Amino acid sequence: MSVIPLEHILILASILFVIGFVGVIVRKNTLYILMSLEVMLNAVGVAFIGAGSVWQQADGQVMFILILTLAAAEVAVGLALLLQMQTRFKSLDIDLLSKLKG
Amino acid sequence: MNVLSPLQWMFYLAALLAIVASLKVITGKNSVHSLLYLVVSLLAVAVCFYLMGAPFAAGLEVIVYAGAILVLFVFAIMMFGLGKDETLNAPKITSFRVWIGPSVIAALLLAQLVYVIDSPDIQDKLTSNVINAKQVGALLYGPYLLAVEIASFLLLAGLIAGYHFAKPTGYHDNNNSGGW
């Protein structure tokens, strides 16, 4: 049994997730949107690790490793797309992407 | 309302630091400064992981997240050609209050970690409910083997997509209809 109650861990995870979500919604710089996505993924990791430590199961950490893999792949693709955006539009404003067709 | 144990105090302090650093990430004006705060936020979450009894996940958080993924961000920011629009209204890098925020939070986290490792009371509580890397590895390569293979496909897809998108335009002189 963990010393820290599960409710507080989940509250921490929710606060971090909401901070990241607000960042994704509010910011117009695409780089900040990617960083806020990292904060959100991190919050999900907190929830998994906390649940795993409360129930004394290693499954939570396995899920955290999979989230880590997902974050690495997402950042690689996202930053490469941002490089394309910078060379094409000379800006990182997300509103410029509304001109895309298709 | 019972009184909080030192372990719980440490956890709540690290959680507070993580929340403050995350708020500074999304409200920042300069991307490099926000990135610094993101590193500090990940370190604070790693301390939380350690206090929750998951030292393996804490190490992975520091090594992979703060060490590899954030370095990818730094490389990308360097390639964006920094200093054209958004660093003009930001304070200069040599000024004192640019690095004081992340370093104060990082110093607090370091003090916390030293205290936690040094205190035998907290160590006793921590070692009683720790989940070590051996259990995680046995589970990862046992029931979750299919998920690991799918994750490897995901990483391969990320590698190919990163190579394809980050290629400079006009790299192939013919049939470059342009990308995405």
Side-chain angles (χ1 to χ4, degrees):
Chain A
M1 183 61 195
S2 173
V3 193
I4 300 145
L6 180 61
E7 293 84 15
H8 296 172
I9 296 171
L10 289 182
I11 287 171
L12 169 66
S14 332
I15 291 175
L16 285 178
F17 190 86
V18 167
I19 289 173
F21 185 69
V22 167
V24 169
I25 298 296
V26 169
R27 296 306 296 241
K28 289 178 80 174
N29 192 335
T30 320
L31 187 67
Y32 279 91
I33 293 178
L34 271 184
M35 283 197 243
S36 308
L37 275 177
E38 289 303 303
V39 175
M40 285 169 77
L41 284 173
N42 209 28
V44 177
V46 171
F48 270 116
I49 299 260
S53 88
V54 166
W55 282 298
Q56 285 295 296
Q57 298 288 322
D59 299 64
Q61 298 195 35
V62 171
M63 282 299 157
F64 174 72
I65 291 173
L66 295 180
I67 289 174
L68 216 60
T69 318
L70 175 73
E74 174 243 330
V75 163
V77 177
L79 286 176
L81 281 173
L82 253 62
L83 283 178
Q84 280 284 334
M85 192 175 166
Q86 177 76 15
T87 53
R88 268 159 208 264
F89 299 114
K90 302 282 181 284
S91 167
L92 288 180
D93 197 342
I94 190 81
D95 285 345
L96 290 172
L97 293 182
S98 60
K99 293 174 187 165
L100 287 180
K101 286 186 290 186
Chain B
M1 183 74 197
N2 49 358
V3 70
L4 292 176
S5 71
L7 177 59
Q8 284 174 313
W9 272 113
M10 290 296 111
F11 176 79
Y12 293 133
L13 183 56
L16 185 69
L17 292 178
I19 290 171
V20 168
S22 301
L23 278 175
K24 294 289 282 185
V25 168
I26 69 164
T27 54
K29 289 226 176 352
N30 189 314
S31 46
V32 178
H33 303 165
S34 291
L35 211 55
L36 272 182
Y37 275 111
L38 186 54
V39 172
V40 174
S41 162
L42 295 176
L43 291 181
V45 170
V47 171
C48 284
F49 285 170
Y50 182 73
L51 293 175
M52 280 189 241
F56 181 55
L60 276 183
E61 175 98 5
V62 173
I63 294 171
V64 178
Y65 247 121
I69 297 180
L70 269 299
V71 168
L72 206 61
F73 268 105
V74 172
F75 282 154
I77 287 177
M78 286 196 293
M79 289 175 80
F80 287 151
L82 196 71
K84 275 204 279 291
D85 48 3
E86 65 174 340
T87 46
L88 284 181
N89 47 6
K92 289 276 173 273
I93 208 77
T94 51
S95 96
F96 184 64
R97 60 194 184 88
V98 169
W99 52 269
I100 191 71
S103 20
V104 162
I105 300 180
L108 278 175
L109 285 173
L110 177 66
Q112 234 187 330
L113 202 57
V114 168
Y115 175 70
V116 165
I117 291 175
D118 195 41
S119 152
D121 177 38
I122 292 181
Q123 283 296 320
D124 279 347
K125 275 184 187 165
L126 270 182
T127 47
S128 64
N129 61 357
V130 75
I131 299 173
N132 54 14
K134 190 178 172 185
Q135 291 168 267
V136 180
L139 207 56
L140 200 57
Y141 288 98
Y144 285 96
L145 188 58
L146 186 64
V148 172
E149 291 182 0
I150 294 173
S152 76
F153 272 109
L154 186 68
L155 281 178
L156 181 65
L159 177 68
I160 293 173
Y163 173 71
H164 175 69
F165 286 132
K167 204 164 45 180
T169 49
Y171 187 69
H172 290 301
D173 41 2
N174 53 353
N175 69 17
N176 185 21
S177 59
W180 55 319

